[in-house]
Amino acid sequence: MGRITAGAPAALGRRIRKRRQMMAMTLQELSAACGVSVGYLSQVERDNATPTLGTLAEIAAALDVGIDHFIATPRQSESVTRADERQPFSVSGTSIIYEQIGAEFPGHELTSFIMNVPPGYRSETVQHAGEELIFVLQGAVLLVVDGQKFLLREGDSMHYLGQHPHSWSNPLDRVVRLLWTGKMLHGATPSAYIPRESGLASVSADDLFVASRDVTDETAE
């Protein structure tokens, strides 16, 4: 699938900087409000780094806007999305193609996307308030939460609090499709999550190689 950008009038970083300046906030003040380092915010504003949706949601909350203030998302007139009608879009500067499946209405708390992740993609390690759930629709994803590695294959999922350091990557040589759902809270979120090894075991680099090969072999069949 090719990279599609749904009509962003300016690059993501410039749009964030413009909003911050409109609110008369310094980078230091924004950093304190959203929990993202000044250095990383500076990289984002200069379009030298692209935040994950979770990080972008925290930045948006600190700037008193919704995440859709910074990304062009298709809006639905009702709460139903049709598989053949969803318009793909991308965040400026990233190669991930998104499909919005959550509806936009007053009072909604959940945000949900289908993510088409290119081969070899790696996210940065982030922490933020709220929670995330990732479900693998096709392929496999390597998720790292609190330093523990979990290889999720088709049909697997993981639900975790955003305050735990986390990152993820596509270990395969083809596009991976993920269902991402998050509830982004602004402020402290009490921690009740302890990563477990039951069900989804931690994996080593060797395990990752074998499992990724297995995924490829299964798909070939």
Side-chain angles (χ1 to χ4, degrees):
M1 179 182 294
R3 181 174 181 274
I4 301 175
T5 302
L12 176 65
R14 293 198 295 274
R15 299 172 78 182
I16 291 174
R17 182 172 63 247
K18 181 179 179 180
R19 175 63 183 177
R20 175 177 61 80
Q21 291 173 344
M22 285 179 60
M23 297 187 68
M25 294 179 71
T26 65
L27 275 174
Q28 288 77 10
E29 289 170 336
L30 178 57
S31 173
C34 69
V36 179
S37 72
V38 171
Y40 186 71
L41 286 173
S42 177
Q43 291 289 312
V44 169
E45 286 198 351
R46 286 181 288 148
D47 291 307
N48 291 329
T50 302
T52 63
L53 285 174
T55 301
L56 184 58
E58 285 299 293
I59 294 173
L63 293 173
D64 199 28
V65 291
I67 193 172
D68 58 352
H69 182 85
F70 299 116
I71 57 178
T73 61
R75 290 188 175 276
Q76 316 297 329
S77 60
E78 53 182 329
S79 298
V80 175
T81 64
R82 305 295 183 185
D84 59 347
E85 296 177 357
R86 286 194 296 269
Q87 295 298 311
F89 67 94
S90 67
V91 176
S92 179
T94 184
S95 54
I96 297 177
I97 303 299
Y98 298 92
E99 301 170 39
Q100 184 168 345
I101 59 176
E104 299 286 340
F105 51 83
H108 81 93
E109 296 183 340
L110 293 179
T111 301
S112 192
F113 299 92
I114 291 176
M115 304 170 64
N116 299 277
V117 186
Y121 179 89
R122 291 178 177 272
S123 76
E124 74 273 21
T125 299
V126 296
Q127 291 176 268
H128 55 79
E131 55 189 297
E132 297 184 14
L133 187 151
I134 289 180
F135 180 90
V136 182
L137 298 170
Q138 180 181 330
V141 64
L142 179 63
L143 187 63
V144 182
V145 179
D146 271 343
Q148 295 191 53
K149 297 179 180 180
F150 303 90
L151 182 67
L152 307 183
R153 293 193 270 183
E154 189 169 319
D156 293 340
S157 66
M158 191 167 185
H159 187 183
Y160 51 92
L161 290 177
Q163 68 188 54
H164 296 278
H166 56 278
S167 64
W168 54 273
S169 60
N170 176 1
L172 305 183
D173 60 359
R174 62 185 184 278
V175 172
V176 167
R177 282 173 62 82
L178 307 174
L179 169 62
W180 181 93
T181 298
K183 181 177 181 181
M184 298 304 163
L185 306 177
H186 189 50
T189 301
S191 174
Y193 173 79
I194 300 177
R196 301 176 180 176
E197 294 188 358
S198 59
L200 294 173
S202 297
V203 294
S204 64
D206 291 338
D207 293 332
L208 174 59
F209 172 77
V210 172
S212 299
R213 183 182 60 192
D214 289 344
V215 172
T216 303
D217 292 342
E218 291 170 2
T219 303
E221 295 175 0

